[in-house]
Amino acid sequence: MNVNQSAPPVPPYGQPQPVYPGHHQSSYGGQPGSTAPPNPYGVYNGPVPGYQQTPPPGVSRAPPSSGVPPASTAQVPCGQGAYGQFGQGDVQNGPSSTVQMQRLPGSQPFGSAPLAPVVSQPAVLQPYGPPPTSAQVTAQLAGMQISGSVNPAPPPSGLGYGPPTSLASASGSFPNSGLYGSCPQGQAPPLSQAQGHSGAQPPQRSAPQQASSFTPQASGGPRMPSMTGPLLPGQSFGGPPVNQPNHVSSPPPQALHPGTQMAGPPGPPPPMHSSQQQGYQLQQNGSFGPARGPQPNYGSPYPGAPAFGSQPGPPQSLPPKRLDPDAIPSPQLNELPPQQKTRHRIDPDAIPSPIQVIEDDRNNRGSEPFVTGVRGQVPPLVTTNFLVKDQGNASPRYIRCTSYNIPCTSDMAKQAQVPLAAVIKPLARLPPEEASPYLVDHGESGPLRCNRCKAYMCPFMQFVEGGRRFQCCFCSCINDVPPQYFQHLDHTGKRVDAYDRPELSLGSYEFLATVDYCKNNKFPSPPAFIFMIDVSYNAIRSGLVRLLCEELKSLLDFLPREGGAEESAIRVGFVTYNKVLHFYNVKSSLAQPQMMVVSDVADMFVPLLDGFLVNVNESRAVIISLLDQIPEMFADTRETETVFAPVIQAGMEALKAAECAGKLFIFHTSLPIAEAPGKLKNRDDRKLINTDKEKTLFQPQTGAYQALAKECVAQGCCVDLFLFPNQYVDVATLSVVPQLTGGSVYKYACFQVENDQERFMSDLRRDVEKVVGFDAVMRVRTSTGIRAVDFFGAFYMSNTTDVELAGLDGEKTVTVEFKHDDRLNEESGALLQCALLYTSCAGQRRLRIHNLALNCCTQLADLYRNCETDTLINYMAKFAYRGVLNSPVKTVRDTLITQCAQILACYRKNCASPSSAGQLILPECMKLLPVYLNCVLKSDVLQPGAEVTTDDRAYVRQLVTSMDVAETNVFFYPRLLPLTKSPIESTTEPPAIRASEERLSNGDIYLLENGLNLFIWVGAGVQQGVVQSLFSVSSFSQITSGLSILPVLDNPLSKKVRGLIDSLRAQRSRYMKLIVVKQEDKLEMLFKHFLVEDKSLSGGASYVDFLCHMHKEIRQLLS
Amino acid sequence: MATYLEFIQQNEERDGVRFSWNVWPSSRLEATRMVVPLACLLTPLKERLDLPPVQYEPVLCSRPTCKAILNPLCQVDYRAKLWACNFCFQRNQFPPAYTGISEVNQPAELMPQFSTIEYMIQRGPQSPLVFLYVVDTCLEEEDLQALKESLQMSLSLLPPDALVGLITFGRMVQVHELSCEGISKSYVFRGTKDLTAKQIQDMLGLTKPAMPMQQARPAQPQEHPFVSSRFLQPVHKIDMNLTDLLGELQRDPWPVNQGKRPLRSTGVALSIAVGLLEGTFPNTGARIMLFTGGPPTQGPGMVVGDELKVPIRSWHDIEKDNARFMKKATKHYEMLANRTATNGHCIDIYACALDQTGLLEMKCCANLTGGYMVMGDSFNTSLFKQTFQRIFSKDFNGDFRMAFGATLEVKTSRELKIAGAIGPCVSLNVKGPCVSENELGVGGTSQWKICALDATSTLGIYFEVVNQHNAPIPQGGRGAIQFVTQYQHSSTQRRIRVTTIARNWADAQSQFKHIEAAFDQEAAAVLMARLGVFRAESEEGPDILRWLDRQLIRLCQKFGQYNKEDPTSFRLSDSFSLYPQFMFHLRRSPFLQVFNNSPDESSYYRHHFARQDLTQSLIMIQPILYSYSFHGPPEPVLLDSSSILADRILLMDTFFQIVIYLGETIAQWRKAGYQDMPEYENFKHLLQAPVDDAQEILQARFPMPRYINTEHGGSQARFLLSKVNPSQTHNNLYAWGQETGAPILTDDVSLQVFMDHLKKLAVSSAS
């Protein structure tokens, strides 16, 4: 945010930084960045006069040394800031907080500090002991809710803000350290790190805390003191102090986690602090203030938090509500809209950080291969690079589950509200180090299956009676083993050939299908690709057609082929169209291609049989000639109208006539308004947003496309759509067929060859070259007790169990939701078998089988210990994105929030160790759930900004539907990488930082990517040398805003950045177009949209606010 | 009598007109009693080597309802520069250009020898001729190849500035765009879907230019609106392209399963062809030439399903009302034919297949538009190739023998009214004072449209005498008729040919002999036959025969000389003597008898009968039989089984077939190889003579007849045996074992029996 900009603060920090840097870095890698925070102060201060003053002066530095002492209001803030941060940190660390609690007892607050950092990491938590819940993050959000409310609040709020953000962790932490330094210096640093997060918040807290601190100090001891330093209380927060006291006090009681909160005793405050204040404090405290102080962070947080959150209930005995900081102004405040209450002075650094979680997982699990032999094992995060060894369960690259431990009963499942879902990517591409599934040929008899449930032979089948029979692991049916498959068992009851047979030893493998598995009992012919090119005026004018035809010439040599095949079996065909369709006869015997025009779009048919679909090598000359001529032929076209449904129909009919499956590549530019089936109207209407009719924007205009899609699926005709719209094209309707046929949609708004060529070419190349299966049917079988009930993704279903995919590539993902229909057995666990019948690109019919065994539990805690938040978010996003088709967006959002709150509340109620209600306790596995969920909620589909078009929303909606976990992860929480922080020499990817404006420093350059977009943000204060070496211009002002290509320069920085961009692009399934954004430039708005931890322009809550809100919801559920 | 024959011949030579009566009964009552209606056969464009067209426009009568054209029969007042219309008696001023006329300085149209005169009109845009090939691709490879060659050849015969277009069809219909360079383009249509003209034009993008044209109009009003069509291009421009295109033409690629007919979308292809021309060149001369090798099997106009096990409808099916598709298909093609006629285009049908091709349903396309119909066994026969080539033959001026978009207007003097016309024409529905309420043929109008015609196209035009018995016409009064034919000459000029004729009125009582002597029995036979054939299209065969019989009996009663109830006393005058024989053969002809003919054949025969001139028509009714023998020079002999003798070679011309038949002995001689022996060279000559004569006929006739060379006992001898009068059959004892002639195995009555019955009935007072 502005923070960065404010120059003054920086310098000061700068100094301190040097000193602390070590700490920061060490602990928070990213935090150092926190330097930024200092600036924040400036900013925040801005708003709040009082604070402002404080910040500037003491701001960062002050706090450390003198800051605290300054007791004076001005200084106080600083100090507060620091504390606040800590406090927040606590919040985030939830667990840590608990930890701290413990420590407090054991060690001093400082001790806790170290814990704090731990918090983020599970490991650490454990130490704390309390932590069975370790996972939990206790945030004393009691206040949070309130705080969550918007700032509008009175001065206090101002204060609150100022400090929290501004001080930012960095400064905050430092100061603390400084202060405490003496005490637990060593610890301090760590804390700081942990707290670092919180850094920002401190200020707010600090105020209160300080106040409290005073008291607390007394009680709490050292930490508080520092806190106290901040005299804030006096100021706006008069009330807060009270809280602080609590905090402070809390420390003592710390022994009791909850107690800590309670500690708040400093009864006094109550009166003073209207509930509001307390609320703040609580929040702050909970998270920050106190925590920091102490260990600083931790300690304080707990204490503080408790105090607030709990609302020092004890002392005051005020009802929670009152306790809410909001209450401070007046008890009634509670009733006020949250906004007023706002003033979360939660330190962003103190709340759970996705970056940290990812980093930790990487460090802990990235080095060892993930061996799939163990049932119910939670795989590493999608962001972690790891190798998989298949020892009987499918690789997480194929299947990921929301939980690897399934409740035994539906009651439990209902109680927990954790969706049981698997995200399946049946044809996922594997890294080169991992072997692709073995192909098993069982000859004419075909794959061995259970007679009753038809499950395929898998490692979980039990052989009995000396190997003459086997018991189905899904339905328990006893089947005979065919003579040719018979094998003796060893002493463990295992077949002696188990390791020779992939289907008996691996989680994923393929069977060669027999003719029984083929349509019409005929082996399929090799599939075909049909390129269907819009040649209307728009397409010609934009240069698309020329570009495309040129590119196709070389692209045709890269059609997917199977294994070591020398040439692709895939045949190709060409169609161009505007208001009518032009088919081309490119038979090899012709000297020239022949064009056949079909104008009868109302009743589409394929005008030729022979010569439409051809082998590339045989007809190369004719095809080249055709591609040369297409741009010429239509160069003078004036036809602006296009058709669409007939185009698909034509492609489908062509495949039908050729009796093969295949894929249509449609390159389309405009709304199909020509008189024909599937004709569309421009129905874009922004007025519908936020009304009950908003859902119509996502629904197709006409049912014609669904019917068409159904036919396509029956024929195995997959449709990939490339859109080049200059205006509204009704993506919602046009994407129906691609969506239902397992195809992809690519959209290049306002396509211009110069700007978009690379992106389009890259996408097209990848789309054409990628391996794809056709005419697929997927079925998921499960152990008795659960059942696949719901499916999300790009496919069609004509009944309730079979997922039909006209085409399926390595990126398409199907999310399957399971429900109980009976009890599961803890011993036998739950099995999933996903069987995919498909035609390979060489025309071979195959079955791909993935097996996965999950644990079952009777304890909710087991469930919460084995969840995967990324997968959960994947499911929830898809669920919500489908929901918008039928319900108002607001309902969908509320449903999401409610479900999330229920999940967390259930945990809190059943699994977390008792603690004050004011404490937000999150399961370790789900501590990122709120931040990610918030990202989903503020995504374009669910909360569109003014600049987001209806088409964009529909586009994103359908895109997300078939995303895998890794894609949703980065899509919802973009990666923000500082480019100029780490030494140029380092070859590793720079560590990511959190997606928030306050993390940006104006002297640096950052890269942001979310899988679809790629930004480079250039701070206004970047050194000229850097600008020169990256952009080849002499100053910041000369950088072209919106630049999409970095100049190729021969210097280490340029090379490194371009190399990084290339490697990022290579990781994503779609080419990310680069946009260079300058600080303070118009385009920056676009960029800021992706800083998902911040409040969004369209009204999306900031992370902190949302966390508070979440906490409130949970508390409501619990009470 | 000879004078009448000469008169008739002279008239035919000069005016191309033959009347059934050359002296007209002067009242309605008498006219009806004459049995044979007053009618004429008119060959509007009869080739006249001695008639150079005049380069100016005709002078019209100023009365709006008349507008007759100045002719030799008009009374002219040279001094007053006035002329009186001989139809309405309006007096008209000569136009300024005629100021110089006098008795000695007459314009051509006033000279008696110019009773037929042709004017050339310079007005109006000259539009090039259009030839649109509609080609069936569901052919055997060999056939298709032959057809392709014929088509390629035809390009060199077309006038260089003529526009050509190409539509091919099979399961789909393709309209080929000819203008493009590089890629050959075609528009493809589903063969099963009927499209309106509007849809077709939309889909072909023909309606598009409307906007740009409107804008461009002011700037270039004279711009040829035609040039824009991508589908019809001048031959000289796309000669090579089209030749290549035709060369690359492939058989319909869609697979045809065993036991199926190929799917052939003739109906849609024609519909598109019609729509295409309708949108681009309305009212200019254009030929749609349909080449088909089988029946339409799908879509509108389908004649039979694609199951081979279901045969194409036969007459038997039709009588039993078993022809599922016939009515619908006929309706479809009629609709197309009418549209085509409205646009002034014509449709030719070249159907070459061993089985039927649906001519029955499609006949109206050719019949109503003046198009040709050619039926053959294969495109790879000289019958088709030469016939097709002959279409592009040229006259002595180097002009094509085809004319387009003709309108025939008939004007009569007051005592006459027009009852109708039979021929390759459609009514223009122009009512007028001279139109009779009683229709014969296509009536109710005084104008007809003949979309395409050539020098032999002949119409039968029927009149009604309306003069009342009690209002006698003064002695020596003459009735006049004027035929005005406006047409587009193949050189694309507009021309008007005017024929004005007059005949004497005669009182049937006092001048019966005159009337009788002026009877033209040949013309009458053909005209009656046309009436019969016309009615046969819509009525049952037996009814027609009965009607013809009754007419014949009545005629005999009226003009025969006999004693009541005494058949032996019956005599007919020379001018009537051949008429009953014509009727006898007509009754046996394929025009009225469907037995042994497929519906397609019947349609084909009737088509030609309705458009050929008198001579050809007579040949069709009563084939000509020549005999070649060592006994003398070739001579025509009776079309009778008694003419079939062992030592003779017979040459029969039925118009559709030329049959050479070797008598038993001759055949044996030939088998023995005498013709190869030098000492029997005369035998060789004898064998050669009929072949040479046949070649002569083959060379001249359109369509080229089927040439059959057979001998006694040969299977193809049936063509001869079925035509001759079965005077000797297995039934008449006296013929058995005689050396003369060959018995015919038939139950048909012979001419003798027919005549006997006729006499009996004619003299009977009962009828």
Side-chain angles (χ1 to χ4, degrees), chain B residues 116-127:
Chain B
T116 291
I117 189 169
E118 189 155 306
Y119 300 88
M120 265 167 68
I121 307 291
Q122 310 294 343
R123 277 179 289 125
Q126 296 198 352
S127 51

Side-chain angles (χ1 to χ4, degrees), chain A residues 557-686:
Chain A
D557 288 327
F558 296 98
L559 299 179
R561 51 193 134 162
E562 195 148 71
E566 282 206 353
E567 72 174 33
S568 174
I570 290 175
R571 290 173 294 164
V572 296
F574 300 88
V575 171
T576 57
Y577 67 94
N578 40 43
K579 214 166 70 172
V580 299
L581 276 81
H582 319 111
F583 294 77
Y584 295 93
N585 184 345
V586 284
K587 203 167 158 180
S588 56
S589 59
L590 295 174
Q592 279 281 344
Q594 291 176 350
M595 176 201 220
M596 307 178 96
V597 185
V598 174
S599 336
D600 189 2
V601 287
D603 192 7
M604 191 40 66
F605 62 94
V606 181
L608 74 172
L609 187 61
D610 195 20
F612 179 61
L613 295 177
V614 296
N615 176 295
V616 175
N617 284 334
E618 285 169 12
S619 291
R620 182 173 305 272
V622 193
I623 292 175
I624 299 288
S625 160
L626 171 67
L627 293 173
D628 278 337
Q629 290 184 63
I630 286 178
E632 306 305 329
M633 274 193 293
F634 299 99
D636 303 324
T637 189
R638 290 170 144 207
E639 185 57 71
T640 53
E641 294 187 358
T642 57
V643 295
F644 189 68
V647 179
I648 298 177
Q649 175 99 29
M652 191 261 296
E653 298 279 356
L655 294 179
K656 194 186 271 178
E659 295 179 325
C660 66
K663 189 147 132 175
L664 312 182
F665 296 82
I666 303 182
F667 306 90
H668 190 79
T669 58
S670 55
L671 192 67
I673 51 170
E675 199 54 59
K679 171 183 173 177
L680 301 180
K681 294 193 294 272
N682 186 339
R683 48 141 189 191
D684 190 12
D685 186 358
R686 296 194 66 87

Side-chain angles (χ1 to χ4, degrees), chain B residues 337-338 341-342 368-369 423-428 442 447-451:
Chain B
N338 284 319
T342 310
L368 300 187
T369 64
C425 61
V426 289
S427 161
L428 279 175
V442 182
Q447 291 184 23
W448 294 267
K449 189 162 198 172
I450 314 164
C451 297

Side-chain angles (χ1 to χ4, degrees), chain B residues 157-175:
Chain B
L157 300 177
L158 293 174
D161 59 344
L163 303 179
V164 285
L166 176 64
I167 294 177
T168 56
F169 67 94
R171 184 177 180 137
M172 315 260 168
V173 180
Q174 294 187 48
V175 184

Side-chain angles (χ1 to χ4, degrees), chain B residues 493-510:
Chain B
Q493 297 157 333
R494 296 295 310 179
R495 292 189 181 189
I496 301 176
R497 187 183 279 218
V498 182
T499 299
T500 316
I501 58 97
R503 295 289 186 272
N504 290 326
W505 293 111
D507 179 56
Q509 268 128 33
S510 57

Side-chain angles (χ1 to χ4, degrees), chain A residues 138-356:
Chain A
T138 44
Q140 300 122 348
L141 297 184
M144 300 301 289
Q145 300 176 345
I146 301 166
S147 62
S149 58
V150 185
N151 325 322
S157 66
L159 295 174
Y161 294 124
T165 48
S166 64
L167 295 182
S169 55
S171 64
S173 59
F174 295 103
N176 295 327
S177 65
L179 296 176
Y180 303 94
S182 61
C183 303
Q185 291 178 346
Q187 298 176 341
L191 295 179
S192 63
Q193 299 171 351
Q195 300 169 348
H197 312 300
S198 56
Q201 306 172 345
Q204 305 175 347
R205 296 321 182 52
S206 63
Q209 294 174 354
Q210 294 168 356
S212 61
S213 64
F214 293 94
T215 18
Q217 290 176 355
S219 59
R223 312 166 183 171
M224 305 319 287
S226 61
M227 304 305 289
T228 54
L231 305 179
L232 310 185
Q235 300 178 345
S236 58
F237 295 99
V242 174
N243 298 329
Q244 294 174 350
N246 297 335
H247 300 299
V248 177
S249 63
S250 63
Q254 291 167 353
L256 314 174
H257 306 290
T260 54
Q261 301 174 348
M262 303 308 286
M272 300 300 293
H273 326 302
S274 54
S275 61
Q276 291 181 346
Q277 288 183 349
Q278 290 180 352
Y280 289 105
Q281 297 172 351
L282 290 178
Q283 298 171 350
Q284 301 169 349
N285 300 335
S287 354
F288 341 85
R292 290 21 168 339
Q295 161 3 204
N297 313 326
Y298 297 105
S300 61
Y302 295 124
F308 297 106
S310 59
Q311 293 188 354
Q316 302 179 348
S317 78
L318 295 176
K321 293 179 184 176
R322 295 179 185 174
L323 296 175
D324 288 357
D326 301 346
I328 298 175
S330 75
Q332 304 169 345
L333 287 181
N334 294 332
E335 299 157 7
L336 296 177
Q339 300 178 346
Q340 298 185 344
K341 306 174 182 178
T342 30
R343 18 307 253 330
H344 17 71
R345 327 349 225 315
I346 300 177
D347 175 358
D349 278 341
I351 50 183
S353 155
I355 303 302
Q356 192 62 48

Side-chain angles (χ1 to χ4, degrees), chain A residues 12 64 66 70 82 117 120 166 297 352 363 491 520 576 639 673 702 709 738 745 767 875 986 1012 1066 1105:
Chain A
S66 63
S120 55
S166 64
N297 313 326
N363 295 335
H491 63 283
N520 303 329
T576 57
E639 185 57 71
I673 51 170
T702 138
V745 179
D767 196 47
Y875 165 83
S986 83
L1012 295 179
D1105 288 345

